[in-house]
Amino acid sequence: MNLNQIHNVYFIGIGGIGMSALARYFQNIGKNVSGYDKTPTTLTDELIACGMNIHFEDNIGLIPEEYYVENTLVIITPAVPISHSEWNYFIEREYIVKKRAEVLGLITKDTFCFAVAGTHGKTTTSSILGHILYESGVDVTAFLGGIVENYNSNLIGNGKTVTVVEADEFDRSFLHLHPNIACITSMDADHLDIYGDSAAIEATFREFADKVEDKTKMFVPKGLPLEGLTTGINEEATYKAQNIRIENGYYVFDVQTPTEIIKDIQFGLPGRHNLMNALMALAMAKTYGSPTESIAKALASFKGVQRRFSYQIKTKDLVYIDDYAHHPTEINAVHQAVSELYPNQKVLAIFQPHLFSRTKDFADDFAKSLSQFDEIILLDIYPARELQMEGITSSWLLSKIKNNNKKLVSKNDLIPTILESDAKIIITIGAGDIGELVSKIKIALS
């Protein structure tokens, strides 16, 4: 399929973070873009403000008439049920219907592609890398799974020769990509509803890694059982971060590369996991040939990604942070970062579990990671694409948390419950619609 011959692009699930990045891309290159989503969000508001025609009812009659032509590409998200009438309308009339991952595969086939894979750290690592390449003058487009603060967008650049993409393991989507340089940030068990067990996940990551034939262009953290160049913090690796300290709220550190030692790099995102994300992006950019000076400057100016340890309030008396963490490993990383920054301070964590299957598969690990916080509030499980599983509830998860300072509350009661707490550090955590509550919580706390 030749994307140059496509005039119209119609999205079913246009408001998703990955889908909306593609929508922005196609509009930027001159295509007509419209779509459907289940509910209005801040993202869909932004797309409508950019001139896209978006509706929120599964209704064939709301599809714009100009899309009833042969040169229309229809892009769907896996979250849409197969019973969706608009989707079936296009399939029955033999339109070109592609998954988001397949479209990214088409785009990356014709560009020099950086692919960032891993069960954690994809969005932050690819955002840092996209920022480095853009600031280095590379003709790049970066498709991202989060809103980057520097650009207020999930799309960086408008380049035609180089792409940065998140290589998503869900539904084995990343096997559609054509990476020239790639990394795998982590390889924990997740999406067991798709894979069944951790052995199947590891096998699929190996299949992805094999898409990069030159292993000097494949990067993995030290200790991950995959072939490639290694990154590590204070341990022997191909790219090693060392002499790490915190100065004025920034990490300052040195990096030993195969050819030099880069001194006094500044990076503002907290947590050792983010230090590893920055190191991985640096290694990939250096391999591509980005100048050391440009890399260091971009790392110092990177402001972060919305919902990734994103400060909402930061005063002497109160700190409110919002984070997308939805896996026990990610929650542990949030706890490590907040403990490093605010030792001996009381921390309230508000968590919305994401997916019944993930809650079931990792219930004991979730309980252990959440128990570390001083005070815990749980919301009901956000189902996303799933139906209710018998016995899998937030109340069941709450019973496993070994910390007596815990509560299960409804969304309606959340803000009054938060205001009752005397915690000086407040964190909202989760990948569901808890993100839509952040602005209201911020206003209530201000």
Side-chain angles (χ1 to χ4, degrees), residues 291-367:
T292 299
E293 186 179 324
S294 298
I295 294 172
K297 187 177 178 183
L299 287 174
S301 66
F302 185 71
K303 296 177 182 177
V305 182
Q306 287 181 17
R307 305 221 62 230
R308 269 65 172 187
F309 212 88
S310 179
Y311 280 100
Q312 304 300 310
I313 298 173
K314 191 177 184 181
T315 67
K316 182 180 64 173
D317 300 317
L318 180 68
V319 171
Y320 171 33
I321 297 162
D322 179 47
D323 197 278
Y324 186 74
H326 55 284
H327 185 281
T329 301
E330 296 166 348
I331 295 172
N332 287 335
V334 170
H335 183 265
Q336 182 275 321
V338 80
S339 300
E340 183 177 56
L341 287 167
Y342 304 104
N344 306 315
Q345 293 273 27
K346 184 174 182 179
V347 181
L348 164 63
I350 301 124
F351 178 55
Q352 181 190 47
H354 184 261
L355 298 177
F356 297 106
S357 59
R358 184 182 283 124
T359 306
K360 173 177 174 286
D361 292 334
F362 303 108
D364 291 339
D365 293 327
F366 274 124

Side-chain angles (χ1 to χ4, degrees), residues 118-132:
T119 41
H120 323 294
K122 286 190 295 292
T123 296
T124 303
T125 303
S126 52
S127 298
I128 297 166
L129 178 60
H131 179 59
I132 290 171

Side-chain angles (χ1 to χ4, degrees), residues 33 78 205 390 404:
V33 178
F205 271 106
E390 188 176 349
N404 291 328

Side-chain angles (χ1 to χ4, degrees), residues 415-436:
I415 289 175
T417 307
I418 292 171
L419 294 176
E420 288 171 4
S421 173
D422 62 351
K424 298 297 183 187
I425 315 296
I426 296 169
I427 307 177
T428 41
I429 307 170
D433 61 359
I434 190 170
E436 296 293 313

Side-chain angles (χ1 to χ4, degrees), residues 240-254:
K240 173 185 176 183
Q242 57 193 17
N243 190 23
I244 300 157
R245 59 263 191 217
I246 296 177
E247 297 177 6
N248 299 320
Y250 276 75
Y251 276 122
V252 182
F253 59 101
D254 304 336

Side-chain angles (χ1 to χ4, degrees), residues 63-75:
I63 300 170
E65 284 185 17
E66 61 267 30
Y67 288 74
Y68 298 137
V69 293
E70 287 185 4
N71 55 1
T72 291
L73 168 64
V74 180
I75 304 176

Side-chain angles (χ1 to χ4, degrees), residues 43-102:
L43 261 179
T44 56
D45 289 347
E46 290 175 2
L47 298 181
I48 291 169
C50 289
M52 298 182 201
N53 184 332
I54 299 173
H55 60 270
F56 303 97
E57 179 188 343
D58 179 14
N59 183 342
I60 295 161
L62 295 176
I63 300 170
E65 284 185 17
E66 61 267 30
Y67 288 74
Y68 298 137
V69 293
E70 287 185 4
N71 55 1
T72 291
L73 168 64
V74 180
I75 304 176
I76 60 164
T77 173
V80 173
I82 199 160
S83 59
H84 196 275
S85 61
E86 293 185 19
W87 183 5
N88 282 285
Y89 175 87
F90 286 116
I91 289 174
E92 287 164 6
R93 285 154 184 79
E94 298 185 347
Y95 279 74
I96 301 169
V97 179
K98 299 278 186 188
K99 291 182 179 179
R100 171 180 166 271
E102 293 175 301

